[in-house]
Amino acid sequence: MDLNHEQGLGAPCRKCKEKCTGFELHFWKKICRNCKCKQEEHYIFLSTEEEPKVGRLFENTKYNTLIAKLKSEGILFENQYAMTLSKPCAAEKKVSINTVTHESVSPFQKQALPRSMQVLLDEKEPVSDSEEAQYWKKQLAKQLPSHDQDPSKCHELSPEEVKEMEQFVKKYKNEALGVGDMKLLSDVNVQHYKVHYPTGDRNTTATVGSKDMSAESKKTEYPCYCCKKTIKEGDLVIFAERAGYDKCWHPDCFICSTCGEFLVHMVYFWKNGKLYCGRHYCEIEKPRCAGCDELIFSKEYTQAENQNWHLKHFCCCDCNYILAGKLYVMVSDKPVCKPCYMKNHAVVCQGCHSVIDPEVRRVTYNNLSWHASTKCFLCSCCRKCLFGETFLSVKGMTFCSIECKNMMC
């Protein structure tokens, strides 16, 4: 097992800021032990350690020879997911001097695009070594978790679970995994893109790019499979071989159908007519543990709070006490045992100034709480019980009338 606990050690949290003393990876959860936020919420500038997993993902697939070719041309697959693209000069149709290196473009596209093509991708794509580039690397970690591919990255898998996971990975490599093929619509190979459309009383098949296709029958506009808007000949498009070459996407529309995020490096999974990132494809096929973020390959697991959990992982977020059959309280969507709740999270009654037991009824108003008791929910001035009464709240105090408010404020 290798969870790489040293990576990002001490990095500050974007959400908690100074409240977090620095990132420290939990021993089996994919969160910070100090603030309970996920790893990607911290300012962790990922090294190239995350990137080789894409290479591993395509091991034993038809892309193996392509990876070898990239390496032979000096393109290091393990640490270079970039492609230099140039903006065309509108006046002279020559290569622009200014080039920008983009992190979110797959190295496969170096082979997919002709060397003569110069295209400037969407402006949201990040320049190398920028903060935006780091964001794309974090998206890569989110969309293609290492623990969805590699049993050694998982926590305490049994030999049977390891075998099942290996079979699962092999199956999706053969049936669903692919990488987007970026082209100009006018450059689509004659064997690639066949379009069926009616002509007169019968259907005919035309192939885009065919030199012998008549001008009358050649179709030059196609709908984007996602947004349905027209793609014209000469526009930049993305094809997905798993989907068939009768479908294409705008670059901005090549997104996961579940999370709506751009498919980083254009690595996609195809199922039932939809594109998915690796994370959400796997969640269609297997339950994911809400505790450790890993896929569940065991036959027995727990379902609670509309989520799935390994039997040992449905536990207190603070002390790891297993909660099966026990009382727990959800705090920020995380289960907490009663002792930890009373110690770390319980609210204080504004009346008696003691913590409120989670099993006891309470009254809450404007982030203030009281025991639902005639001894606690009272007017701060005359001590009248406020159950069933209208009341005023000023600076944490409650009043039954304006007169009582004026006497105290």
Side-chain angles (χ1 to χ4, degrees):
M1 179 180 174
D2 175 20
L3 294 181
N4 199 2
H5 285 69
E6 288 72 30
Q7 183 169 314
L9 186 65
C13 180
R14 298 171 186 269
K15 294 176 63 176
C16 302
K17 301 185 185 303
E18 65 277 358
K19 294 181 181 179
C20 176
T21 57
F23 180 75
E24 183 181 356
L25 186 63
H26 186 275
F27 69 98
W28 56 262
K29 298 177 184 179
K30 312 301 186 294
I31 61 173
C32 174
R33 296 183 65 174
N34 296 318
C35 68
K36 308 299 189 296
C37 291
K38 294 182 179 180
Q39 184 174 3
E40 56 262 29
E41 297 294 344
H42 293 75
Y43 287 97
I44 301 174
F45 283 84
L46 301 178
S47 68
T48 56
E49 293 298 318
E50 278 295 310
E51 297 177 344
K53 70 180 179 183
V54 178
R56 290 194 299 270
L57 181 64
F58 286 101
E59 288 177 355
N60 302 317
T61 70
K62 66 177 184 177
Y63 296 101
N64 259 356
T65 55
L66 180 54
I67 295 171
K69 186 176 181 181
L70 289 171
K71 289 181 178 180
S72 68
E73 293 184 1
I75 303 170
L76 298 178
F77 194 89
E78 288 79 0
N79 56 24
Q80 183 171 334
Y81 286 100
M83 175 181 175
T84 300
L85 302 171
S86 303
K87 184 176 181 180
C89 177
E92 301 179 3
K93 295 184 179 180
K94 293 182 179 179
V95 179
S96 170
I97 296 177
N98 296 323
T99 59
V100 181
T101 302
H102 295 276
E103 287 285 352
S104 62
V105 182
S106 166
F108 294 112
Q109 303 319 305
K110 185 176 180 64
Q111 302 298 317
L113 293 173
R115 293 183 182 277
S116 60
M117 180 188 296
Q118 295 84 36
V119 181
L120 184 65
L121 293 183
D122 185 83
E123 61 183 12
K124 73 180 181 181
E125 295 200 8
V127 176
S128 294
D129 300 324
S130 65
E131 185 175 348
E132 290 82 2
Q134 291 295 324
Y135 168 78
W136 281 106
K137 290 179 182 179
K138 291 172 186 178
Q139 282 296 102
L140 173 64
K142 183 177 180 180
Q143 291 186 6
L144 299 172
S146 296
H147 47 271
D148 283 4
Q149 308 170 25
D150 187 352
S152 71
K153 302 293 183 180
C154 299
H155 181 71
E156 293 185 344
L157 290 182
S158 68
E160 293 76 15
E161 290 172 321
V162 170
K163 184 176 180 180
E164 185 177 348
M165 182 177 184
E166 290 173 344
Q167 292 174 343
F168 172 72
V169 172
K170 182 178 179 180
K171 186 174 183 291
Y172 74 56
K173 285 183 177 182
N174 291 334
E175 298 179 0
L177 176 64
V179 62
D181 190 2
M182 183 187 295
K183 293 181 178 292
L184 287 180
L185 193 55
S186 58
D187 291 338
V188 177
N189 188 280
V190 66
Q191 288 87 10
H192 278 179
Y193 194 172
K194 293 186 177 180
V195 182
H196 298 267
Y197 56 94
T199 302
D201 296 328
R202 60 187 179 87
N203 289 337
T204 60
T205 299
T207 306
V208 178
S210 176
K211 295 182 180 179
D212 58 359
M213 188 186 300
S214 65
E216 290 78 18
S217 63
K218 184 176 179 181
K219 187 175 180 180
T220 58
E221 296 182 354
Y222 305 91
C224 170
Y225 189 75
C226 177
C227 71
K228 311 304 180 185
K229 294 182 180 179
T230 298
I231 300 175
K232 297 181 180 180
E233 184 175 0
D235 287 352
L236 184 68
V237 295
I238 297 177
F239 292 93
E241 184 180 7
R242 297 283 185 183
Y245 281 92
D246 60 337
K247 303 176 183 67
C248 59
W249 288 259
H250 292 108
D252 282 350
C253 293
F254 201 68
I255 59 177
C256 172
S257 60
T258 297
C259 63
E261 293 286 348
F262 182 79
L263 296 171
V264 180
H265 301 332
M266 290 186 282
V267 175
Y268 70 88
F269 292 73
W270 179 257
K271 184 177 178 66
N272 296 333
K274 293 182 179 180
L275 292 171
Y276 295 94
C277 65
R279 169 176 291 274
H280 292 112
Y281 169 83
C282 289
E283 289 178 7
I284 294 174
E285 300 294 312
K286 296 287 182 180
R288 186 181 295 279
C289 177
C292 67
D293 196 49
E294 296 172 13
L295 300 175
I296 300 175
F297 292 96
S298 58
K299 295 180 180 179
E300 295 182 349
Y301 58 94
T302 298
Q303 290 184 318
E305 302 296 327
N306 297 317
Q307 298 184 93
N308 303 301
W309 313 73
H310 287 108
L311 294 178
K312 293 182 179 180
H313 290 175
F314 185 60
C315 60
C316 175
C317 184
D318 288 358
C319 70
N320 296 317
Y321 177 69
I322 296 176
L323 297 172
K326 307 295 182 181
L327 177 69
Y328 66 91
V329 182
M330 294 300 290
V331 178
S332 300
D333 297 324
K334 297 180 177 67
V336 178
C337 68
K338 183 176 177 180
C340 285
Y341 175 83
M342 294 295 291
K343 178 182 178 181
N344 303 323
H345 307 284
V347 295
V348 175
C349 175
Q350 297 298 304
C352 67
H353 303 292
S354 61
V355 295
I356 302 177
D357 190 291
E359 297 181 89
V360 173
R361 295 176 59 199
R362 75 175 78 172
V363 177
T364 302
Y365 178 78
N366 278 353
N367 296 321
L368 301 176
S369 298
W370 297 261
H371 286 102
S373 164
T374 55
K375 297 180 180 180
C376 293
F377 191 48
L378 309 172
C379 174
S380 298
C381 179
C382 68
R383 312 304 292 173
K384 175 183 177 181
C385 179
L386 297 177
F387 276 116
E389 305 288 340
T390 58
F391 65 93
L392 302 172
S393 178
V394 180
K395 298 180 180 179
M397 297 183 290
T398 52
F399 302 101
C400 63
S401 63
I402 295 178
E403 289 76 16
C404 281
K405 169 185 171 296
N406 291 337
M407 291 179 65
M408 295 289 290
C409 297

